[in-house]
Amino acid sequence: METSTVKNQIIENYNNKRYLDYVPHSVHLTPEIINDIFNDENCTVLKSPKYPNEDSNITFYRNDKPERIMSAHLNQFCINPNDNFAKSRSKLKTSPKAEENLQEKLDKQRQSKEEELRQSMKAEGCELISPYTDYKTPVYYIFEGMEYKTTPYRWNSGHRAHKCKCIRYTHNYIKQLFANEGCELISEYQNQKSKLKYLYHEKEYEVTFNDWKFFNKRPHLLEPRLTPCP
């Protein structure tokens, strides 16, 4: 049966139900028919009974405003589909389309913020090398071949990690310093006083970064190797 015929029968039954001599139409309803009725009015059904009737309560949203979830009795919807129906009390807090639209909006905002940060860094000779998450999550950038760490908030407030007297070094920054002298860092950098292990000509040595940078200590040039590499 055509959707329009079903709708007309539902409306006729509703309008004439107070007449005792009225013989109502026998309307066969399925969730698929209900979906079609709502789709014809540019709406999407979120929840409907498995075995619906003409007075069943349907949870839905209008496709042009998916963030507003409403509920309506089927016969009331058929009579006036453009009515301002009440918000649904269903546990469904938002529609899938609304969630999708919100996620797209958030992604665009994040990409816009990332591009703003990227261009701001580029203007000062820096290259952003990690994605932007939010204003307080750390990001990494390159300046003159070395890696630095900051947050978008600190950068936008004028803080420049590569200009600080006391730089908060990143592991990759330390790794690059060792590589610049032909050494390969093989342990994780923790702080300036923690021991670092590195390879030089396939032999292993260790030193603190504090000694390496500020006291110019190079164990591989002055001291015997610690252990042979396997």
Side-chain angles (χ1 to χ4, degrees):
M1 186 179 294
E2 292 290 335
T3 303
S4 59
T5 302
V6 173
K7 288 174 62 177
N8 289 335
Q9 289 181 348
I10 292 175
I11 294 171
E12 186 175 334
N13 284 347
Y14 182 85
N15 289 337
N16 294 282
K17 65 181 181 180
R18 66 182 179 276
Y19 298 111
L20 296 178
D21 59 346
Y22 175 71
V23 179
H25 296 283
S26 178
V27 181
H28 176 66
L29 290 171
T30 65
E32 290 74 23
I33 292 176
I34 291 178
N35 285 339
D36 289 341
I37 290 174
F38 279 76
N39 287 339
D40 286 347
E41 301 296 339
N42 196 31
C43 297
T44 299
V45 172
L46 291 175
K47 187 178 181 182
S48 65
K50 186 176 181 181
Y51 303 105
N53 57 59
E54 297 171 48
D55 196 46
S56 291
N57 199 45
I58 311 299
T59 302
F60 70 102
Y61 64 86
R62 302 192 190 283
N63 293 336
D64 58 354
K65 199 173 184 180
E67 66 276 6
R68 179 181 170 85
I69 298 178
M70 298 174 285
S71 64
H73 293 287
L74 178 59
N75 45 24
Q76 295 288 345
F77 183 85
C78 290
I79 292 170
N80 187 5
N82 295 317
D83 195 6
N84 187 24
F85 295 105
K87 286 186 177 181
S88 172
R89 295 182 180 180
S90 169
K91 292 182 179 179
L92 294 169
K93 294 184 177 180
T94 186
S95 68
K97 186 174 181 180
E99 291 181 352
E100 182 180 342
N101 290 346
L102 177 60
Q103 189 58 49
E104 288 180 0
K105 182 178 180 181
L106 293 175
D107 286 343
K108 288 181 179 179
Q109 290 177 346
R110 186 197 64 76
Q111 292 171 7
S112 176
K113 292 290 186 181
E114 181 175 307
E115 186 59 25
E116 288 178 10
L117 181 62
R118 187 184 308 280
Q119 293 303 320
S120 177
M121 289 184 168
K122 185 177 180 180
E124 298 187 30
C126 302
E127 178 187 359
L128 180 66
I129 60 172
S130 66
Y132 175 98
T133 302
D134 55 47
Y135 73 97
K136 62 182 179 180
T137 300
V139 294
Y140 295 86
Y141 68 94
I142 298 293
F143 176 74
E144 295 184 350
M146 304 304 295
E147 181 185 270
Y148 297 86
K149 176 182 177 182
T150 188
T151 65
Y153 175 81
R154 287 172 65 82
W155 177 274
N156 292 331
S157 298
H159 176 266
R160 300 295 181 262
H162 58 280
K163 293 183 178 180
C164 292
K165 291 183 179 179
C166 184
I167 298 175
R168 293 185 177 182
Y169 301 104
T170 68
H171 175 78
N172 286 336
Y173 179 98
I174 307 300
K175 186 176 181 179
Q176 185 60 51
L177 284 182
F178 277 72
N180 290 345
E181 299 190 29
C183 301
E184 179 186 356
L185 184 64
I186 59 173
S187 64
E188 193 72 22
Y189 172 76
Q190 298 177 358
N191 57 57
Q192 294 187 38
K193 294 183 179 181
S194 62
K195 291 286 187 179
L196 293 171
K197 293 184 179 182
Y198 67 96
L199 297 178
Y200 179 75
H201 288 178
E202 298 185 352
K203 295 179 181 179
E204 185 179 309
Y205 301 86
E206 70 176 21
V207 67
T208 66
F209 181 67
N210 202 45
D211 287 342
W212 178 283
K213 183 172 179 65
F214 300 107
F215 296 99
N216 203 33
K217 287 190 176 181
R218 302 294 186 269
H220 59 282
L221 300 179
L222 303 174
E223 302 173 7
R225 61 186 173 88
L226 278 177
T227 56
C229 281

